[in-house]
């Protein structure tokens, strides 16, 4: 079966979160530290449940996903996330390996900086690859919990401006996390 061309996507822009709709990205991060170094210490683990909204192909989507991370050294997390975009046509799934560094300090504000690669699988169309980065701050809200506020930048590698109206995007990210 031949793949469809992406002409239908020409007015939709690249796969992105629509900032015109209130973007509610809730990431419930269950950080399970293995050692006494804390949430971002070597050996700490993260499990994420992701919910949000996005728009592509002139369709609104509900975004659901899961993620896993492991701190290989203090502050440095290697992670892998999966997202499914539901409720629109075509179906969209994303796989995102990432590396994030949390700059730990003695205040309640821990800045973070990360790099990521994203592979987007679109039913009936060619897959898309993107690279990007994220930056923000984790704010301590109590013993073993924090709120994360930041932004993500993505640049699609195999994006054509003849097919897509945009080949890059920036969107906010919000998270609440705790450990037990």
């Amino acid at each position: 079966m031949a793949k469809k061309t992406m002409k239908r996507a020409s007015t939709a822009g690249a796969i992105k979160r629509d900032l015109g709709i209130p973007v509610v990205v809730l990431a419930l991060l269950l950080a399970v530290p293995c050692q006494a170094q804390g949430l971002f210490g070597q050996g700490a683990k993260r499990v994420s449940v992701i919910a949000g909204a996005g728009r592509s192909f002139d369709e609104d989507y509900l975004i659901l996903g899961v993620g896993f991370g492991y701190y290989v050294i203090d502050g440095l997390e290697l992670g892998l996330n999966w997202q499914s975009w539901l409720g629109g046509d075509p179906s969209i799934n994303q796989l995102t390996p990432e590396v994030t560094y949390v700059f730990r300090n003695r205040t309640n504000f821990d800045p973070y900086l990360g790099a990521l690669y994203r592979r987007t699988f679109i039913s009936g169309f060619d897959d898309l690859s993107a690279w990007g980065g994220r930056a923000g701050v984790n704010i301590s809200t109590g013993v073993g919990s924090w709120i994360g506020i930041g932004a993500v930048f993505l640049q699609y590698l195999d994006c054509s401006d003849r097919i897509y109206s945009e080949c890059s995007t920036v969107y906010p990210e919000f998270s609440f996390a705790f450990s037990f």
Side-chain angles (χ1 to χ4, degrees):
M1 180 177 191
K3 290 197 173 205
K4 299 176 190 173
T5 63
M6 297 183 117
K7 298 288 184 194
R8 189 171 106 175
S10 63
T11 61
I15 304 297
K16 65 178 180 142
R17 274 124 179 118
D18 185 357
L19 298 180
I21 298 174
V23 177
V24 181
V25 178
L26 303 174
L28 176 61
L29 304 176
L30 306 174
V32 185
C34 294
Q35 301 176 5
Q37 285 89 354
L39 297 174
F40 311 117
Q42 182 177 4
K45 296 180 183 104
R46 170 187 58 86
V47 177
S48 303
V49 178
I50 301 150
R55 181 168 181 80
S56 190
F57 297 96
D58 289 327
E59 302 264 346
D60 292 323
Y61 289 85
L62 169 67
I63 303 170
L64 297 176
V66 296
F68 305 95
Y70 181 77
Y71 284 84
V72 294
I73 61 173
D74 285 356
L76 184 65
E77 180 199 50
L78 300 180
L80 185 64
N81 300 305
W82 176 263
Q83 294 179 356
S84 289
W85 290 45
L86 308 170
D89 182 41
S91 66
I92 301 170
N93 293 287
Q94 296 178 321
L95 181 65
T96 308
E98 61 188 8
V99 59
T100 303
Y101 188 79
V102 178
F103 297 90
R104 300 170 69 195
N105 57 55
R106 289 181 167 48
T107 71
N108 289 338
F109 299 90
D110 294 310
Y112 64 87
L113 189 61
L116 60 95
Y117 169 81
R118 177 166 293 158
R119 187 70 175 177
T120 302
F121 307 95
I122 308 167
S123 66
F125 295 94
D126 292 332
D127 297 341
L128 288 174
S129 295
W131 65 268
R134 63 172 23 101
V137 63
N138 294 321
I139 304 165
S140 176
T141 58
V143 176
S145 66
W146 76 91
I147 293 173
I149 301 169
V152 176
F153 166 79
L154 284 175
Q155 175 68 50
Y156 289 92
L157 303 177
D158 37 8
C159 179
S160 167
D161 59 3
R162 293 180 306 145
I163 297 172
Y164 293 102
S165 61
E166 297 176 312
C167 291
S168 64
T169 187
V170 176
Y171 60 88
E173 70 177 355
F174 306 96
S175 61
F176 173 71
F178 61 94
S179 68
F180 56 95

